[in-house]
């Protein structure tokens, strides 16, 4: 891309990102990720010696047939949607009623969520790179652990035990921490470890957030610059940048969830990198149900700005690193498509961008270099948290860095 080439000149501090962003370096695959690569004969294993890198994310249905199960798991998750003592009945009921609508949305974006494809690629390429830039903890074996879709966290943990893994890094793929996303995945990991690994054969550490990592900031900034380059020169600097993140219910915000502040930190860092070249706002999308959610809403903001005569708007998904229903359906089809304004566009998601892969490898390297210590921030509960699951999860991950493993 011409814009990308021109813009690389800007950031001398990020030479290493540039140097490693050529496809040649990233396409070199030394070891084969057993969790998800092709045929059983491909499945090399020496995970028992090195370090498992476990990408945590929510996942998405691969086909429209999987939407029902996906929603059912999602509505049964007390850390995401607490429905009280009747959750066991209400969860499946709500998900059954919601399934046709969401199936339609997935059918409109090609029949399924691309999140598995992207996460597998990101995990594989980041591990290949890590082997080269941090050989002392190699081989780094990629695993994917999704909360609501295949490959489910339970299957991945079982596979890791079967592979003889003794050291693992739980690497959240949500750059900003929320107890409803990363927190939920960690609660699930704690539960599964208790159930399937009572002897603590696997020693875990956690990368729990990375909202302002320079590589993350760089790749967002470049995608914005590439989109801005598609506007006529005279209009470019007036384009309003609308950073859009998945919203949170106000009950979660008021419990003291760190996510809104961390999303804002990412936005600020990206704007700093762009030298505040354009006016911008942080807005919130994908509210579900009748309760109060954090605003301003993305869809309403677009409508109001159009009414105010602002028709050059660039939407930037800032809290999720791969494409998914919120970008491909909600932003592209519902908001941008229906606006019928050629000046309303979206910046590309990070997906397989080599600069992003390099950032992932860099984050893991820094974590391993520092002795694989979990950040103290993970151990601080929300001021209004009353969840025993959170308490036990944090105690579990704290013990992980204090106790020797069964294997050691
Ligand atoms: C950082 C991202 C996300 C946060 C924070 C988040 C919080 C959150 N979500 C719900 C309810 C639903 N989310 C749903 C889908 C969904 N959520 C995210 C991201 C975050 N959610 C994504 C990327 C997706 C789509 C997955 C994909 O297609 O790949 C859904 C299901 C869809 C629907 O029924 O509308 C629900 C429900 C809550 C309640 C919440 C905070 C507490
Ligand atoms: S809800 Fe945030 S720590 Fe429990
Ligand atoms: Fe969500």
């Amino acid at each position: 891309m011409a814009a990308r080439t021109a813009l690389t000149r800007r950031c001398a501090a990020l030479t290493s990102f540039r140097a490693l962003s050529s496809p040649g370096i990233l396409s070199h695959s030394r070891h084969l990720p057993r969790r998800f690569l092709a045929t059983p004969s491909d499945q090399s294993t020496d995970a028992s010696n090195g370090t498992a890198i476990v990408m945590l994310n929510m996942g998405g249905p691969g086909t429209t047939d999987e939407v029902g199960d996906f929603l059912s798991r999602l509505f049964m998750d007390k850390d995401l949607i607490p429905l009280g003592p009747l959750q066991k009945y209400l969860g499946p009921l709500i998900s059954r009623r919601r399934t046709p609508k969401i199936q339609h949305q997935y059918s409109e974006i090609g029949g399924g969520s691309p999140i598995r494809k992207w996460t597998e690629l990101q995990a594989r390429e980041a591990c290949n790179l890590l082997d080269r830039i941090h050989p002392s903890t190699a081989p780094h074996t990629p695993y994917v652990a999704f909360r609501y879709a295949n490959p489910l966290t339970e299957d991945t943990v079982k596979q890791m035990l079967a592979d003889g893994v003794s050291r693992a890094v739980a690497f959240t793929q949500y750059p900003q921490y929320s107890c409803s996303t990363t927190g939920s995945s960690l609660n699930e990991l704690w539960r599964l470890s208790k159930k399937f690994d009572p002897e603590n054969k696997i020693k875990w550490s956690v990368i729990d957030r990375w909202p302002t990592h320079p590589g993350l900031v760089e790749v967002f900034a470049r995608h914005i610059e590439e989109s801005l380059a598609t506007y006529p020169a005279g209009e470019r600097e007036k384009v309003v940048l609308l950073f859009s993140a998945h919203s949170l219910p106000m009950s979660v915000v008021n419990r003291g969830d760190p996510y809104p502040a961390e999303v804002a930190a990412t936005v600020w860092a990206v704007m700093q990198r762009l030298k505040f070249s354009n006016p911008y706002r942080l807005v919130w999308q994908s509210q579900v149900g009748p309760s109060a959610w954090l605003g301003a809403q993305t869809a309403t903001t677009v409508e109001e700005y159009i009414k105010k005569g602002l028709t050059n708007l660039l939407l930037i998904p800032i809290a999720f690193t791969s494409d998914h229903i919120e970008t491909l359906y909600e932003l592209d089809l519902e908001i941008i498509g229906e606006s019928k304004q050629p000046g309303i566009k979206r910046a590309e998601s990070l997906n397989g961008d080599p600069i992003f892969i390099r950032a992932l490898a860099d984050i893991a390297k820094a974590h391993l270099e520092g002795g694989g210590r979990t950040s103290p921030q993970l151990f601080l509960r929300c001021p209004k948290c009353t969840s025993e699951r959170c308490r036990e999860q944090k105690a579990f991950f704290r013990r992980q860095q204090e106790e020797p493993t069964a294997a050691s």
Side-chain angles (χ1 to χ4, degrees):
M1 287 171 204
R4 174 169 295 175
T5 316
L7 289 161
T8 50
R9 284 196 297 274
R10 281 212 182 165
C11 192
L14 282 152
T15 318
S16 59
F17 284 96
R18 278 206 304 276
L20 282 149
S21 60
S22 75
I25 285 176
L26 291 174
S27 61
H28 169 76
S29 286
R30 190 167 62 70
H31 54 235
L32 299 163
R34 294 171 314 292
R35 280 292 303 142
F36 40 74
L37 272 191
T39 59
S41 60
D42 282 341
Q43 299 184 356
S44 73
T45 115
D46 55 5
S48 53
N49 299 321
T51 313
I53 305 292
V54 186
M55 306 303 225
L56 305 180
N57 212 331
M58 64 187 310
T63 63
T64 50
D65 287 345
E66 293 170 27
V67 170
D69 284 346
F70 167 73
L71 289 182
S72 161
R73 291 186 193 104
L74 197 143
F75 280 95
M76 286 294 282
D77 179 3
K78 298 183 186 118
D79 299 316
L80 183 78
I81 305 177
L83 296 172
L86 294 179
Q87 182 128 15
K88 233 184 350 192
Y89 309 100
L90 287 177
L93 191 78
I94 299 171
S95 57
R96 260 199 308 279
R97 287 184 56 182
R98 209 169 161 78
T99 295
K101 176 182 161 192
I102 304 302
Q103 271 178 327
H104 168 73
Q105 297 185 354
Y106 280 104
S107 67
E108 291 283 296
I109 64 160
S113 174
I115 186 171
R116 181 174 185 171
K117 175 187 89 178
W118 289 124
T119 311
E120 289 176 349
L121 181 136
Q122 290 155 355
R124 188 171 62 237
E125 298 289 13
C127 281
N128 285 336
L129 206 43
L130 251 183
D131 283 355
R132 304 179 62 186
I133 62 178
H134 203 257
S136 63
T137 48
H140 303 92
T141 309
Y143 291 87
V144 172
F146 284 155
R147 183 70 183 84
Y148 312 117
N150 292 320
L152 286 168
T153 311
E154 173 166 340
D155 297 330
T156 299
V157 167
K158 286 180 183 163
Q159 182 68 49
M160 289 168 68
L161 286 164
D163 291 346
V165 169
S166 57
R167 174 75 181 94
V169 178
F171 188 175
T172 185
Q173 292 305 296
Y174 303 98
Q176 305 92 1
Y177 189 97
S178 170
C179 298
S180 59
T181 55
T182 300
S184 167
S185 276
L186 293 177
N187 286 357
E188 176 78 345
L189 256 188
W190 153 69
R191 254 190 311 272
L192 293 165
S193 296
K194 196 167 64 158
K195 187 167 172 190
F196 297 111
D197 185 20
E199 293 167 19
N200 201 194
K201 290 189 181 123
I202 303 177
K203 183 182 163 81
W204 289 93
S205 63
V206 184
I207 302 175
D208 66 341
R209 70 200 77 205
W210 31 284
T212 56
H213 184 273
L216 178 75
V217 172
E218 180 65 15
V219 69
F220 274 131
R222 288 200 196 191
H223 286 203
I224 293 169
E225 288 170 329
E226 281 164 15
S227 296
L228 285 175
T230 67
Y231 288 86
E235 292 172 29
R236 200 166 296 154
E237 64 195 31
K238 286 185 242 139
V239 174
V240 176
L241 306 181
L242 287 182
F243 293 91
S244 184
H246 195 302
S247 186
L248 279 188
M250 283 311 291
S251 55
V252 177
V253 176
N254 291 334
R255 192 169 61 199
D257 196 271
Y259 171 83
E262 293 187 11
V263 176
T266 309
V267 171
W268 186 260
V270 172
M271 287 311 301
Q272 253 180 338
R273 157 64 179 77
L274 293 172
K275 300 199 166 51
F276 296 91
S277 60
N278 288 67
Y280 70 98
R281 274 290 185 282
L282 168 55
V283 292
W284 306 89
Q285 67 177 91
S286 317
Q287 294 79 356
V288 191
S291 63
W293 287 67
L294 182 61
Q297 286 192 20
T298 307
T300 320
T301 302
V302 169
E303 280 168 26
E304 295 299 329
Y305 279 162
I306 293 174
K307 281 191 211 154
K308 288 180 167 52
L310 296 168
T311 52
N312 284 331
L313 307 174
L314 179 62
L315 289 153
I316 304 124
I318 195 73
F320 217 71
T321 54
S322 304
D323 272 321
H324 51 85
I325 200 169
E326 266 79 15
T327 54
L328 300 171
Y329 186 83
E330 193 175 346
L331 293 183
D332 291 356
L333 299 180
E334 278 193 331
I335 298 181
I336 299 175
E338 285 173 24
S339 77
K340 301 204 169 28
Q341 297 282 347
I344 303 189
K345 306 184 189 192
R346 172 171 74 80
E348 239 182 83
S349 295
L350 311 188
N351 295 338
D353 189 316
I355 304 172
F356 177 54
I357 308 282
R358 168 72 201 193
L360 292 174
D362 229 51
I363 292 163
K365 175 179 182 248
H367 175 79
L368 292 164
E369 257 172 6
R373 291 194 68 79
T374 300
S375 139
Q377 183 67 352
L378 180 68
F379 303 127
L380 182 66
R381 287 166 71 195
C382 296
K384 290 201 174 169
C385 172
T386 54
S387 163
E388 277 303 296
R389 296 181 298 280
C390 295
R391 196 181 60 74
E392 294 219 36
Q393 172 251 107
K394 286 165 197 309
F396 170 76
F397 285 109
R398 197 193 282 277
R399 277 198 307 277
Q400 293 298 295
Q401 54 190 43
E402 288 164 1
E403 285 173 11
T405 53
S408 61

